[in-house]
Amino acid sequence: MKVDPVYAAVGSLFIREPMFRIPKYQRSYAWDNHEISDFLKDLKKCFDSRVIGNPINHFFGGIVSVEKNVAGVVHQHENELVDGQQRFATFILLIASMKPIYNELLEEAINSADVENERIIRNRLEKLNNGFVEFQQEVNRVTRTVEVLRMSKADEQFFRDLIREQNPNTSRESHEKLQYAYSSITEFVRRITDAGTLVAKLDNLEHLQLEVDEDFS
């Protein structure tokens, strides 16, 4: 088996319509308050540095995946996550936590007839959704919606509904952990990006996005 190690920014994992899958033998989501707290501390440190124009790199550890071709699609690969699902899923939760904030700012821009910022927000939401949540894929001339990350069977539907703000019901411990992670991250993101004006909030959200795309590796 060919092993091709790459040191890369987190954002580079999500370009070009990525497909990541958690194999059946992997455990369910397991990060609790300790891991989430550490994650948010690292996030805040990098965010503060980027805001003052001095971005720093933070290494989150390795992700091991097995690349597979997707039948019927040219230049499309599916990556089976052998190791790193906890970090990977948490990054998706982080991006998902930004979407409701953008939707609130979109409503504000529409109500104030701020056409330019409305356009900016819509573009950002589309990029976040297509890069981190789902995208449209054509397979043998049939278009289907594909999840960027498909969790193990026990967590798949809950995770899918959670990152779409569908308020799913928890039925197992891993669901409770996912809910806790998402709620904690959302509260944190609201706090660090709340800067008063719509424009200032957009700037802070952009800093956060760039942090994920470029500063985390």
Side-chain angles (χ1 to χ4, degrees):
M1 180 176 66
K2 179 183 178 182
V3 178
D4 187 16
V6 176
Y7 183 86
V10 169
S12 67
L13 300 176
F14 294 92
I15 59 176
R16 301 187 187 92
E17 299 182 340
M19 297 172 62
F20 290 89
R21 305 292 175 254
I22 307 298
K24 294 179 179 180
Y25 58 81
Q26 288 284 359
R27 63 175 177 166
S28 299
Y29 189 81
W31 272 17
D32 56 24
N33 60 336
H34 177 72
E35 286 87 0
I36 295 300
S37 177
D38 286 345
F39 176 80
L40 295 179
K41 287 177 183 177
D42 294 333
L43 188 66
K44 182 65 162 59
K45 179 180 178 181
C46 292
F47 179 82
D48 289 343
S49 294
R50 180 163 277 280
V51 166
I52 63 174
N54 185 33
I56 57 175
N57 178 263
H58 182 80
F59 180 62
F60 272 93
I63 289 177
V64 180
S65 65
V66 177
E67 186 178 84
K68 300 179 179 180
N69 292 326
V70 177
V73 184
V74 179
H75 304 307
Q76 179 72 68
H77 298 93
E78 179 178 272
N79 300 281
E80 186 176 278
L81 282 173
V82 178
D83 182 51
Q85 76 144 311
Q86 310 295 327
R87 291 185 295 276
F88 203 94
T90 305
F91 279 117
I92 299 281
L93 294 177
L94 170 60
I95 294 299
S97 74
M98 299 168 65
K99 292 179 62 182
I101 301 175
Y102 270 126
N103 282 324
E104 292 168 8
L105 296 179
L106 177 61
E107 183 177 357
E108 181 180 341
I110 292 172
N111 291 337
S112 60
D114 188 344
V115 177
E116 180 59 23
N117 281 319
E118 179 186 346
R119 181 187 62 81
I120 289 172
I121 295 168
R122 289 189 187 278
N123 286 340
R124 290 192 190 179
L125 278 168
E126 182 178 4
K127 289 180 180 179
L128 288 181
N129 193 67
N130 292 343
F132 294 85
V133 178
E134 65 183 21
F135 60 91
Q136 299 300 307
Q137 180 185 83
E138 182 181 321
V139 181
N140 296 325
R141 299 181 302 283
V142 176
T143 301
R144 63 175 182 173
T145 300
V146 177
E147 300 288 316
V148 169
L149 173 62
R150 192 173 71 225
M151 299 286 278
S152 59
K153 186 176 181 179
D155 292 338
E156 181 179 359
Q157 189 61 52
F158 183 87
F159 183 79
R160 181 182 298 178
D161 291 342
L162 182 65
I163 62 177
R164 290 171 173 79
E165 292 281 303
Q166 297 298 313
N167 299 316
N169 294 320
T170 59
S171 60
R172 54 187 294 128
E173 184 179 7
S174 58
H175 296 174
E176 294 175 355
K177 290 180 182 296
L178 282 165
Q179 182 67 69
Y180 174 82
Y182 180 68
S183 298
S184 299
I185 293 170
T186 300
E187 180 183 350
F188 173 84
V189 170
R190 284 188 178 280
R191 186 168 65 251
I192 67 170
T193 59
D194 188 3
T197 67
L198 183 148
V199 172
K201 291 176 181 177
L202 287 178
D203 286 346
N204 278 342
L205 286 166
E206 183 178 27
H207 286 313
L208 184 59
Q209 180 65 56
L210 289 172
E211 180 183 346
V212 175
D213 287 344
E214 300 175 8
D215 301 344
F216 290 171
S217 59

